[in-house]
Amino acid sequence: MNSSASLPPEAELDAPVPPIHVAIIMDGNGRWAKKRMLNRIKGHEKGAKTVRTIVRASREYGISMLTLYAFSTENWQRSKIEVTALMTLLKHFLESEQKEMVDNNIRLNAIGQIERLPKNVQQALNRTMEATKHQNGMMLNLALSYGGRAEIVRMVQRIAKKVTGGVIDQEKITSDVISDHLYTKGLPDPELLIRTSGEMRISNFLLWQIAYTEIFITETLWPDFSEDEFIQILKEYQRRERRFGRVDI
Ligand code: FPP
């Protein structure tokens, strides 16, 4: 299929096509703080500022969906002080950014074991999701107490229950049925996954959803990640797409 058949070649080359869905593993807050002889929490605080910058840049660049790995199921094993600090930062972020999200037409969504979050964080999350539920310029999707394997276990349990109850015929279980039983039901898979701080790992993030996703790893620590570097990666992604995505050569 040649979907660009009606476009003149120069128009196709010039048209920037931003990815619809970008996912980010925000890593390196601790190392950023350590390099400066600061407490790890200072790294998370600076990291939260980077979140604001990248959300704004995504909206301006025309990305439809941004998924951020903000807290993993494994992160519960960190010290109580660090977990509490991350939860406080998250609550503060939700409260302070709600107006900005509404003004910029951004809808907030969350994926993960939301029921494990402290009650006051759940309330803040629900308030911001409710306040932004009609916004349709971009979706900010926060992965909170999220783990890809836990998501897959939950999906299998839900489908098995439906099979046992006669709601689904086991022969009718397809990729689409599986996708529909994940936290990301109804959301497109990310075309681009960025990981900061140089680690070559997926760390239990969106295991099912990234089957065909382009991956970019940058050495930059998350608190130092800038709008400029983000845009460079988006442009590089668009170049990769042009080189390898074509079917009409
Ligand atoms: C990884 O750094 C980052 C996290 C565990 C959490 C990400 C949280 C934020 C960016 C701040 C708050 C989030 C929001 C949405 C306001 P790390 O601690 O694993 O770094 P290290 O690998 O260098 O130790």
Side-chain angles (χ1 to χ4, degrees):
M1 195 179 80
N2 180 358
S3 59
S4 59
S6 56
L7 284 175
E10 64 278 13
E12 188 199 10
L13 283 173
D14 288 342
V17 187
I20 293 169
H21 184 179
V22 177
I24 307 185
I25 301 176
M26 309 182 288
D27 193 16
N29 294 350
R31 272 161 285 172
W32 183 91
K34 197 172 175 199
K35 268 170 66 177
R36 290 162 180 77
M37 315 270 271
L38 295 170
N39 186 298
R40 297 176 56 79
I41 290 158
K42 291 284 173 214
H44 295 315
E45 286 170 8
K46 182 75 166 51
K49 288 190 180 146
T50 308
V51 170
R52 290 184 181 92
T53 306
I54 298 306
V55 170
R56 256 170 234 156
S58 301
R59 177 76 183 101
E60 280 165 23
Y61 205 77
I63 286 162
S64 303
M65 192 165 299
L66 177 69
T67 298
L68 300 178
Y69 204 4
F71 195 87
S72 71
T73 44
E74 290 78 18
N75 286 157
W76 290 115
Q77 287 153 29
R78 296 195 176 190
S79 74
K80 193 162 183 287
I81 292 176
E82 187 170 347
V83 170
T84 304
L86 280 166
M87 290 300 141
T88 307
L89 263 179
L90 176 62
K91 182 168 176 286
H92 183 69
F93 172 84
L94 293 167
E95 289 165 352
S96 65
E97 296 306 293
Q98 181 171 310
K99 186 174 179 309
E100 165 122 7
M101 284 189 220
V102 173
D103 291 348
N104 288 297
N105 205 11
I106 297 173
R107 178 178 181 178
L108 182 76
N109 187 53
I111 56 171
Q113 303 161 335
I114 304 307
E115 66 288 351
R116 284 183 77 183
L117 301 174
K119 280 280 166 302
N120 63 353
V121 176
Q122 287 188 44
Q123 283 159 357
L125 196 57
N126 287 335
R127 272 196 298 271
T128 308
M129 287 197 296
E130 179 64 25
T132 60
K133 71 180 179 194
H134 298 302
Q135 314 311 113
N136 58 10
M138 182 180 102
M139 177 179 278
L140 171 61
N141 197 26
L142 294 181
L144 298 169
S145 188
Y146 174 87
R149 285 192 172 182
E151 180 181 39
I152 288 171
V153 169
R154 176 178 173 273
M155 170 272 290
V156 172
Q157 287 172 342
R158 291 185 168 215
I159 295 180
K161 201 169 170 192
K162 289 189 183 172
V163 171
T164 312
V167 182
I168 303 180
D169 179 348
Q170 69 179 47
E171 306 298 326
K172 301 252 166 66
I173 300 173
T174 59
S175 287
D176 286 345
V177 171
I178 289 176
S179 295
D180 282 351
H181 288 80
L182 297 172
Y183 290 121
T184 49
K185 175 181 181 346
L187 309 183
D189 290 340
E191 295 104 312
L192 171 61
L193 171 68
I194 300 170
R195 179 171 188 143
T196 58
S197 96
E199 307 289 347
M200 303 284 184
R201 286 194 294 274
I202 295 302
S203 299
N204 204 14
F205 191 41
L206 301 176
L207 297 180
W208 172 268
Q209 297 88 339
I210 59 166
Y212 298 101
T213 302
E214 291 282 330
I215 300 178
F216 282 73
I217 313 257
T218 167
E219 292 292 327
T220 307
L221 304 175
W222 177 252
D224 288 329
F225 191 62
S226 64
E227 173 168 356
D228 273 359
E229 185 172 4
F230 183 51
I231 302 298
Q232 285 314 312
I233 292 175
L234 293 173
K235 288 187 173 158
E236 172 60 24
Y237 162 80
Q238 286 166 271
R239 278 195 291 275
R240 275 197 204 176
E241 275 299 284
R242 280 185 192 124
R243 238 178 302 142
F244 305 117
R246 292 179 74 105
V247 287
D248 56 343
I249 356 171

PDB file of all heavy atoms in Angstrom, residues 191-222:
ATOM      1  N   GLU A 191       4.999   4.746  19.291  1.00  0.00           N
ATOM      2  CA  GLU A 191       5.919   4.568  18.155  1.00  0.00           C
ATOM      3  C   GLU A 191       7.351   4.815  18.603  1.00  0.00           C
ATOM      4  O   GLU A 191       8.297   4.404  17.954  1.00  0.00           O
ATOM      5  CB  GLU A 191       5.634   5.558  17.022  1.00  0.00           C
ATOM      6  CG  GLU A 191       4.303   5.388  16.363  1.00  0.00           C
ATOM      7  CD  GLU A 191       3.353   6.459  16.829  1.00  0.00           C
ATOM      8  OE1 GLU A 191       3.264   6.674  18.050  1.00  0.00           O
ATOM      9  OE2 GLU A 191       2.713   7.078  15.967  1.00  0.00           O
ATOM     10  N   LEU A 192       7.491   5.551  19.695  1.00  0.00           N
ATOM     11  CA  LEU A 192       8.830   5.963  20.138  1.00  0.00           C
ATOM     12  C   LEU A 192       8.934   5.800  21.650  1.00  0.00           C
ATOM     13  O   LEU A 192       8.057   6.242  22.396  1.00  0.00           O
ATOM     14  CB  LEU A 192       9.026   7.442  19.744  1.00  0.00           C
ATOM     15  CG  LEU A 192      10.245   8.178  20.279  1.00  0.00           C
ATOM     16  CD1 LEU A 192      11.534   7.521  19.796  1.00  0.00           C
ATOM     17  CD2 LEU A 192      10.221   9.646  19.821  1.00  0.00           C
ATOM     18  N   LEU A 193      10.038   5.142  22.072  1.00  0.00           N
ATOM     19  CA  LEU A 193      10.341   5.022  23.506  1.00  0.00           C
ATOM     20  C   LEU A 193      11.706   5.650  23.750  1.00  0.00           C
ATOM     21  O   LEU A 193      12.681   5.302  23.081  1.00  0.00           O
ATOM     22  CB  LEU A 193      10.370   3.544  23.928  1.00  0.00           C
ATOM     23  CG  LEU A 193      10.897   3.272  25.349  1.00  0.00           C
ATOM     24  CD1 LEU A 193       9.945   3.795  26.416  1.00  0.00           C
ATOM     25  CD2 LEU A 193      11.124   1.776  25.563  1.00  0.00           C
ATOM     26  N   ILE A 194      11.746   6.584  24.685  1.00  0.00           N
ATOM     27  CA  ILE A 194      13.015   7.231  25.044  1.00  0.00           C
ATOM     28  C   ILE A 194      13.384   6.778  26.448  1.00  0.00           C
ATOM     29  O   ILE A 194      12.519   6.718  27.327  1.00  0.00           O
ATOM     30  CB  ILE A 194      12.855   8.775  25.018  1.00  0.00           C
ATOM     31  CG1 ILE A 194      12.453   9.258  23.628  1.00  0.00           C
ATOM     32  CG2 ILE A 194      14.157   9.454  25.476  1.00  0.00           C
ATOM     33  CD1 ILE A 194      12.049  10.740  23.564  1.00  0.00           C
ATOM     34  N   ARG A 195      14.674   6.461  26.647  1.00  0.00           N
ATOM     35  CA  ARG A 195      15.150   6.191  28.005  1.00  0.00           C
ATOM     36  C   ARG A 195      16.348   7.093  28.275  1.00  0.00           C
ATOM     37  O   ARG A 195      17.296   7.139  27.483  1.00  0.00           O
ATOM     38  CB  ARG A 195      15.559   4.732  28.174  1.00  0.00           C
ATOM     39  CG  ARG A 195      16.061   4.482  29.586  1.00  0.00           C
ATOM     40  CD  ARG A 195      16.304   3.043  29.940  1.00  0.00           C
ATOM     41  NE  ARG A 195      16.590   2.998  31.369  1.00  0.00           N
ATOM     42  CZ  ARG A 195      16.211   2.063  32.200  1.00  0.00           C
ATOM     43  NH1 ARG A 195      15.526   1.029  31.766  1.00  0.00           N
ATOM     44  NH2 ARG A 195      16.511   2.127  33.482  1.00  0.00           N
ATOM     45  N   THR A 196      16.300   7.797  29.383  1.00  0.00           N
ATOM     46  CA  THR A 196      17.433   8.652  29.741  1.00  0.00           C
ATOM     47  C   THR A 196      18.412   7.872  30.631  1.00  0.00           C
ATOM     48  O   THR A 196      18.086   6.817  31.150  1.00  0.00           O
ATOM     49  CB  THR A 196      16.965   9.925  30.482  1.00  0.00           C
ATOM     50  OG1 THR A 196      16.247   9.552  31.653  1.00  0.00           O
ATOM     51  CG2 THR A 196      16.084  10.788  29.590  1.00  0.00           C
ATOM     52  N   SER A 197      19.604   8.427  30.740  1.00  0.00           N
ATOM     53  CA  SER A 197      20.691   7.969  31.621  1.00  0.00           C
ATOM     54  C   SER A 197      21.414   6.709  31.166  1.00  0.00           C
ATOM     55  O   SER A 197      22.125   6.089  31.946  1.00  0.00           O
ATOM     56  CB  SER A 197      20.221   7.863  33.077  1.00  0.00           C
ATOM     57  OG  SER A 197      19.843   6.577  33.402  1.00  0.00           O
ATOM     58  N   GLY A 198      21.232   6.354  29.897  1.00  0.00           N
ATOM     59  CA  GLY A 198      22.139   5.395  29.254  1.00  0.00           C
ATOM     60  C   GLY A 198      21.939   3.917  29.515  1.00  0.00           C
ATOM     61  O   GLY A 198      22.639   3.107  28.917  1.00  0.00           O
ATOM     62  N   GLU A 199      21.031   3.538  30.389  1.00  0.00           N
ATOM     63  CA  GLU A 199      20.851   2.098  30.649  1.00  0.00           C
ATOM     64  C   GLU A 199      20.137   1.452  29.463  1.00  0.00           C
ATOM     65  O   GLU A 199      19.165   1.988  28.957  1.00  0.00           O
ATOM     66  CB  GLU A 199      20.010   1.860  31.909  1.00  0.00           C
ATOM     67  CG  GLU A 199      20.481   2.568  33.159  1.00  0.00           C
ATOM     68  CD  GLU A 199      21.753   1.986  33.717  1.00  0.00           C
ATOM     69  OE1 GLU A 199      22.147   0.877  33.292  1.00  0.00           O
ATOM     70  OE2 GLU A 199      22.365   2.651  34.561  1.00  0.00           O
ATOM     71  N   MET A 200      20.625   0.248  29.082  1.00  0.00           N
ATOM     72  CA  MET A 200      20.050  -0.453  27.926  1.00  0.00           C
ATOM     73  C   MET A 200      19.013  -1.471  28.405  1.00  0.00           C
ATOM     74  O   MET A 200      19.186  -2.669  28.213  1.00  0.00           O
ATOM     75  CB  MET A 200      21.163  -1.167  27.146  1.00  0.00           C
ATOM     76  CG  MET A 200      22.250  -0.257  26.674  1.00  0.00           C
ATOM     77  SD  MET A 200      21.686   0.680  25.250  1.00  0.00           S
ATOM     78  CE  MET A 200      23.167   1.559  24.839  1.00  0.00           C
ATOM     79  N   ARG A 201      18.026  -1.000  29.113  1.00  0.00           N
ATOM     80  CA  ARG A 201      17.022  -1.916  29.654  1.00  0.00           C
ATOM     81  C   ARG A 201      15.618  -1.364  29.430  1.00  0.00           C
ATOM     82  O   ARG A 201      15.428  -0.161  29.328  1.00  0.00           O
ATOM     83  CB  ARG A 201      17.196  -2.056  31.182  1.00  0.00           C
ATOM     84  CG  ARG A 201      18.356  -2.874  31.626  1.00  0.00           C
ATOM     85  CD  ARG A 201      18.203  -3.196  33.108  1.00  0.00           C
ATOM     86  NE  ARG A 201      18.301  -2.013  33.949  1.00  0.00           N
ATOM     87  CZ  ARG A 201      19.450  -1.500  34.396  1.00  0.00           C
ATOM     88  NH1 ARG A 201      20.589  -2.075  34.070  1.00  0.00           N
ATOM     89  NH2 ARG A 201      19.456  -0.424  35.154  1.00  0.00           N
ATOM     90  N   ILE A 202      14.650  -2.273  29.468  1.00  0.00           N
ATOM     91  CA  ILE A 202      13.242  -1.880  29.342  1.00  0.00           C
ATOM     92  C   ILE A 202      12.615  -1.729  30.731  1.00  0.00           C
ATOM     93  O   ILE A 202      11.610  -1.025  30.903  1.00  0.00           O
ATOM     94  CB  ILE A 202      12.467  -2.928  28.479  1.00  0.00           C
ATOM     95  CG1 ILE A 202      13.007  -2.939  27.039  1.00  0.00           C
ATOM     96  CG2 ILE A 202      10.973  -2.660  28.480  1.00  0.00           C
ATOM     97  CD1 ILE A 202      12.935  -1.606  26.308  1.00  0.00           C
ATOM     98  N   SER A 203      13.202  -2.393  31.715  1.00  0.00           N
ATOM     99  CA  SER A 203      12.758  -2.266  33.114  1.00  0.00           C
ATOM    100  C   SER A 203      11.251  -2.444  33.310  1.00  0.00           C
ATOM    101  O   SER A 203      10.615  -1.657  34.016  1.00  0.00           O
ATOM    102  CB  SER A 203      13.207  -0.911  33.692  1.00  0.00           C
ATOM    103  OG  SER A 203      14.603  -0.809  33.674  1.00  0.00           O
ATOM    104  N   ASN A 204      10.716  -3.479  32.667  1.00  0.00           N
ATOM    105  CA  ASN A 204       9.318  -3.858  32.955  1.00  0.00           C
ATOM    106  C   ASN A 204       8.306  -2.784  32.518  1.00  0.00           C
ATOM    107  O   ASN A 204       7.248  -2.652  33.117  1.00  0.00           O
ATOM    108  CB  ASN A 204       9.193  -4.145  34.470  1.00  0.00           C
ATOM    109  CG  ASN A 204       8.039  -5.072  34.797  1.00  0.00           C
ATOM    110  OD1 ASN A 204       7.466  -5.714  33.925  1.00  0.00           O
ATOM    111  ND2 ASN A 204       7.694  -5.134  36.073  1.00  0.00           N
ATOM    112  N   PHE A 205       8.660  -2.040  31.482  1.00  0.00           N
ATOM    113  CA  PHE A 205       7.774  -0.946  31.022  1.00  0.00           C
ATOM    114  C   PHE A 205       7.066  -1.360  29.737  1.00  0.00           C
ATOM    115  O   PHE A 205       7.719  -1.761  28.766  1.00  0.00           O
ATOM    116  CB  PHE A 205       8.629   0.310  30.792  1.00  0.00           C
ATOM    117  CG  PHE A 205       7.828   1.570  30.576  1.00  0.00           C
ATOM    118  CD1 PHE A 205       6.698   1.858  31.311  1.00  0.00           C
ATOM    119  CD2 PHE A 205       8.240   2.509  29.631  1.00  0.00           C
ATOM    120  CE1 PHE A 205       5.979   3.033  31.131  1.00  0.00           C
ATOM    121  CE2 PHE A 205       7.535   3.691  29.437  1.00  0.00           C
ATOM    122  CZ  PHE A 205       6.399   3.950  30.189  1.00  0.00           C
ATOM    123  N   LEU A 206       5.765  -1.286  29.713  1.00  0.00           N
ATOM    124  CA  LEU A 206       4.944  -1.483  28.511  1.00  0.00           C
ATOM    125  C   LEU A 206       5.398  -2.691  27.671  1.00  0.00           C
ATOM    126  O   LEU A 206       5.587  -2.574  26.458  1.00  0.00           O
ATOM    127  CB  LEU A 206       4.973  -0.212  27.654  1.00  0.00           C
ATOM    128  CG  LEU A 206       4.480   1.072  28.318  1.00  0.00           C
ATOM    129  CD1 LEU A 206       4.658   2.265  27.371  1.00  0.00           C
ATOM    130  CD2 LEU A 206       3.014   0.983  28.745  1.00  0.00           C
ATOM    131  N   LEU A 207       5.576  -3.836  28.320  1.00  0.00           N
ATOM    132  CA  LEU A 207       6.185  -4.992  27.647  1.00  0.00           C
ATOM    133  C   LEU A 207       5.433  -5.421  26.391  1.00  0.00           C
ATOM    134  O   LEU A 207       6.040  -5.720  25.368  1.00  0.00           O
ATOM    135  CB  LEU A 207       6.270  -6.166  28.626  1.00  0.00           C
ATOM    136  CG  LEU A 207       7.163  -5.921  29.840  1.00  0.00           C
ATOM    137  CD1 LEU A 207       7.176  -7.151  30.740  1.00  0.00           C
ATOM    138  CD2 LEU A 207       8.590  -5.569  29.416  1.00  0.00           C
ATOM    139  N   TRP A 208       4.128  -5.447  26.469  1.00  0.00           N
ATOM    140  CA  TRP A 208       3.318  -5.865  25.303  1.00  0.00           C
ATOM    141  C   TRP A 208       3.290  -4.760  24.248  1.00  0.00           C
ATOM    142  O   TRP A 208       3.395  -5.006  23.047  1.00  0.00           O
ATOM    143  CB  TRP A 208       1.896  -6.191  25.780  1.00  0.00           C
ATOM    144  CG  TRP A 208       0.908  -6.443  24.682  1.00  0.00           C
ATOM    145  CD1 TRP A 208       0.098  -5.525  24.088  1.00  0.00           C
ATOM    146  CD2 TRP A 208       0.631  -7.690  24.035  1.00  0.00           C
ATOM    147  NE1 TRP A 208      -0.677  -6.115  23.115  1.00  0.00           N
ATOM    148  CE2 TRP A 208      -0.371  -7.443  23.068  1.00  0.00           C
ATOM    149  CE3 TRP A 208       1.129  -8.999  24.180  1.00  0.00           C
ATOM    150  CZ2 TRP A 208      -0.882  -8.453  22.256  1.00  0.00           C
ATOM    151  CZ3 TRP A 208       0.606 -10.000  23.363  1.00  0.00           C
ATOM    152  CH2 TRP A 208      -0.373  -9.715  22.417  1.00  0.00           C
ATOM    153  N   GLN A 209       3.176  -3.520  24.724  1.00  0.00           N
ATOM    154  CA  GLN A 209       2.876  -2.391  23.829  1.00  0.00           C
ATOM    155  C   GLN A 209       4.076  -1.955  22.985  1.00  0.00           C
ATOM    156  O   GLN A 209       3.897  -1.254  21.989  1.00  0.00           O
ATOM    157  CB  GLN A 209       2.393  -1.197  24.661  1.00  0.00           C
ATOM    158  CG  GLN A 209       1.086  -1.439  25.425  1.00  0.00           C
ATOM    159  CD  GLN A 209       1.302  -2.046  26.815  1.00  0.00           C
ATOM    160  OE1 GLN A 209       2.333  -2.649  27.090  1.00  0.00           O
ATOM    161  NE2 GLN A 209       0.327  -1.904  27.686  1.00  0.00           N
ATOM    162  N   ILE A 210       5.305  -2.316  23.362  1.00  0.00           N
ATOM    163  CA  ILE A 210       6.466  -1.785  22.624  1.00  0.00           C
ATOM    164  C   ILE A 210       7.029  -2.763  21.593  1.00  0.00           C
ATOM    165  O   ILE A 210       8.164  -2.604  21.129  1.00  0.00           O
ATOM    166  CB  ILE A 210       7.603  -1.320  23.570  1.00  0.00           C
ATOM    167  CG1 ILE A 210       8.092  -2.469  24.442  1.00  0.00           C
ATOM    168  CG2 ILE A 210       7.170  -0.122  24.403  1.00  0.00           C
ATOM    169  CD1 ILE A 210       9.412  -2.167  25.142  1.00  0.00           C
ATOM    170  N   ALA A 211       6.219  -3.755  21.207  1.00  0.00           N
ATOM    171  CA  ALA A 211       6.698  -4.776  20.267  1.00  0.00           C
ATOM    172  C   ALA A 211       7.338  -4.176  19.014  1.00  0.00           C
ATOM    173  O   ALA A 211       8.334  -4.694  18.504  1.00  0.00           O
ATOM    174  CB  ALA A 211       5.553  -5.708  19.893  1.00  0.00           C
ATOM    175  N   TYR A 212       6.791  -3.081  18.494  1.00  0.00           N
ATOM    176  CA  TYR A 212       7.321  -2.487  17.254  1.00  0.00           C
ATOM    177  C   TYR A 212       7.835  -1.062  17.452  1.00  0.00           C
ATOM    178  O   TYR A 212       8.005  -0.320  16.488  1.00  0.00           O
ATOM    179  CB  TYR A 212       6.217  -2.478  16.173  1.00  0.00           C
ATOM    180  CG  TYR A 212       5.771  -3.876  15.818  1.00  0.00           C
ATOM    181  CD1 TYR A 212       4.582  -4.388  16.337  1.00  0.00           C
ATOM    182  CD2 TYR A 212       6.558  -4.697  15.015  1.00  0.00           C
ATOM    183  CE1 TYR A 212       4.183  -5.685  16.049  1.00  0.00           C
ATOM    184  CE2 TYR A 212       6.167  -5.994  14.722  1.00  0.00           C
ATOM    185  CZ  TYR A 212       4.981  -6.478  15.239  1.00  0.00           C
ATOM    186  OH  TYR A 212       4.593  -7.758  14.953  1.00  0.00           O
ATOM    187  N   THR A 213       8.061  -0.693  18.690  1.00  0.00           N
ATOM    188  CA  THR A 213       8.421   0.693  19.010  1.00  0.00           C
ATOM    189  C   THR A 213       9.899   0.977  18.718  1.00  0.00           C
ATOM    190  O   THR A 213      10.762   0.141  19.001  1.00  0.00           O
ATOM    191  CB  THR A 213       8.116   0.945  20.515  1.00  0.00           C
ATOM    192  OG1 THR A 213       6.728   0.675  20.722  1.00  0.00           O
ATOM    193  CG2 THR A 213       8.449   2.342  20.950  1.00  0.00           C
ATOM    194  N   GLU A 214      10.182   2.163  18.167  1.00  0.00           N
ATOM    195  CA  GLU A 214      11.574   2.612  17.988  1.00  0.00           C
ATOM    196  C   GLU A 214      12.109   3.033  19.357  1.00  0.00           C
ATOM    197  O   GLU A 214      11.414   3.743  20.100  1.00  0.00           O
ATOM    198  CB  GLU A 214      11.625   3.835  17.068  1.00  0.00           C
ATOM    199  CG  GLU A 214      11.270   3.565  15.637  1.00  0.00           C
ATOM    200  CD  GLU A 214      12.420   2.901  14.876  1.00  0.00           C
ATOM    201  OE1 GLU A 214      13.593   3.147  15.214  1.00  0.00           O
ATOM    202  OE2 GLU A 214      12.128   2.138  13.947  1.00  0.00           O
ATOM    203  N   ILE A 215      13.327   2.618  19.667  1.00  0.00           N
ATOM    204  CA  ILE A 215      13.872   2.938  20.993  1.00  0.00           C
ATOM    205  C   ILE A 215      15.068   3.879  20.864  1.00  0.00           C
ATOM    206  O   ILE A 215      15.947   3.664  20.025  1.00  0.00           O
ATOM    207  CB  ILE A 215      14.291   1.639  21.725  1.00  0.00           C
ATOM    208  CG1 ILE A 215      13.068   0.723  21.890  1.00  0.00           C
ATOM    209  CG2 ILE A 215      14.901   1.958  23.091  1.00  0.00           C
ATOM    210  CD1 ILE A 215      13.345  -0.607  22.552  1.00  0.00           C
ATOM    211  N   PHE A 216      15.066   4.931  21.662  1.00  0.00           N
ATOM    212  CA  PHE A 216      16.195   5.866  21.730  1.00  0.00           C
ATOM    213  C   PHE A 216      16.700   5.904  23.158  1.00  0.00           C
ATOM    214  O   PHE A 216      15.922   6.156  24.076  1.00  0.00           O
ATOM    215  CB  PHE A 216      15.768   7.291  21.335  1.00  0.00           C
ATOM    216  CG  PHE A 216      15.639   7.486  19.853  1.00  0.00           C
ATOM    217  CD1 PHE A 216      14.575   6.941  19.165  1.00  0.00           C
ATOM    218  CD2 PHE A 216      16.601   8.216  19.156  1.00  0.00           C
ATOM    219  CE1 PHE A 216      14.450   7.111  17.794  1.00  0.00           C
ATOM    220  CE2 PHE A 216      16.488   8.392  17.783  1.00  0.00           C
ATOM    221  CZ  PHE A 216      15.415   7.834  17.101  1.00  0.00           C
ATOM    222  N   ILE A 217      18.005   5.698  23.311  1.00  0.00           N
ATOM    223  CA  ILE A 217      18.605   5.789  24.644  1.00  0.00           C
ATOM    224  C   ILE A 217      19.547   6.981  24.623  1.00  0.00           C
ATOM    225  O   ILE A 217      20.384   7.087  23.727  1.00  0.00           O
ATOM    226  CB  ILE A 217      19.434   4.519  24.963  1.00  0.00           C
ATOM    227  CG1 ILE A 217      18.657   3.263  24.615  1.00  0.00           C
ATOM    228  CG2 ILE A 217      19.971   4.552  26.403  1.00  0.00           C
ATOM    229  CD1 ILE A 217      18.026   2.484  25.690  1.00  0.00           C
ATOM    230  N   THR A 218      19.400   7.862  25.594  1.00  0.00           N
ATOM    231  CA  THR A 218      20.349   8.971  25.703  1.00  0.00           C
ATOM    232  C   THR A 218      21.094   8.869  27.029  1.00  0.00           C
ATOM    233  O   THR A 218      20.534   8.424  28.023  1.00  0.00           O
ATOM    234  CB  THR A 218      19.647  10.348  25.591  1.00  0.00           C
ATOM    235  OG1 THR A 218      20.560  11.356  25.999  1.00  0.00           O
ATOM    236  CG2 THR A 218      18.421  10.456  26.457  1.00  0.00           C
ATOM    237  N   GLU A 219      22.364   9.301  27.002  1.00  0.00           N
ATOM    238  CA  GLU A 219      23.187   9.272  28.224  1.00  0.00           C
ATOM    239  C   GLU A 219      22.735  10.338  29.222  1.00  0.00           C
ATOM    240  O   GLU A 219      23.057  10.269  30.403  1.00  0.00           O
ATOM    241  CB  GLU A 219      24.667   9.537  27.872  1.00  0.00           C
ATOM    242  CG  GLU A 219      25.339   8.432  27.062  1.00  0.00           C
ATOM    243  CD  GLU A 219      25.508   7.144  27.856  1.00  0.00           C
ATOM    244  OE1 GLU A 219      25.719   7.222  29.077  1.00  0.00           O
ATOM    245  OE2 GLU A 219      25.405   6.064  27.236  1.00  0.00           O
ATOM    246  N   THR A 220      22.032  11.340  28.731  1.00  0.00           N
ATOM    247  CA  THR A 220      21.625  12.459  29.595  1.00  0.00           C
ATOM    248  C   THR A 220      20.787  11.962  30.771  1.00  0.00           C
ATOM    249  O   THR A 220      19.883  11.147  30.590  1.00  0.00           O
ATOM    250  CB  THR A 220      20.790  13.472  28.772  1.00  0.00           C
ATOM    251  OG1 THR A 220      21.542  13.820  27.610  1.00  0.00           O
ATOM    252  CG2 THR A 220      20.463  14.712  29.575  1.00  0.00           C
ATOM    253  N   LEU A 221      21.096  12.460  31.957  1.00  0.00           N
ATOM    254  CA  LEU A 221      20.300  12.099  33.136  1.00  0.00           C
ATOM    255  C   LEU A 221      18.978  12.880  33.070  1.00  0.00           C
ATOM    256  O   LEU A 221      18.954  14.037  32.617  1.00  0.00           O
ATOM    257  CB  LEU A 221      21.075  12.446  34.415  1.00  0.00           C
ATOM    258  CG  LEU A 221      22.470  11.800  34.515  1.00  0.00           C
ATOM    259  CD1 LEU A 221      23.203  12.300  35.758  1.00  0.00           C
ATOM    260  CD2 LEU A 221      22.378  10.275  34.533  1.00  0.00           C
ATOM    261  N   TRP A 222      17.888  12.260  33.549  1.00  0.00           N
ATOM    262  CA  TRP A 222      16.568  12.879  33.373  1.00  0.00           C
ATOM    263  C   TRP A 222      16.512  14.344  33.824  1.00  0.00           C
ATOM    264  O   TRP A 222      15.976  15.200  33.105  1.00  0.00           O
ATOM    265  CB  TRP A 222      15.472  12.045  34.050  1.00  0.00           C
ATOM    266  CG  TRP A 222      14.134  12.690  33.947  1.00  0.00           C
ATOM    267  CD1 TRP A 222      13.433  13.292  34.948  1.00  0.00           C
ATOM    268  CD2 TRP A 222      13.339  12.857  32.755  1.00  0.00           C
ATOM    269  NE1 TRP A 222      12.254  13.803  34.473  1.00  0.00           N
ATOM    270  CE2 TRP A 222      12.161  13.560  33.123  1.00  0.00           C
ATOM    271  CE3 TRP A 222      13.506  12.481  31.417  1.00  0.00           C
ATOM    272  CZ2 TRP A 222      11.168  13.885  32.206  1.00  0.00           C
ATOM    273  CZ3 TRP A 222      12.508  12.814  30.504  1.00  0.00           C
ATOM    274  CH2 TRP A 222      11.357  13.506  30.895  1.00  0.00           C
TER     275      TRP A 222
END
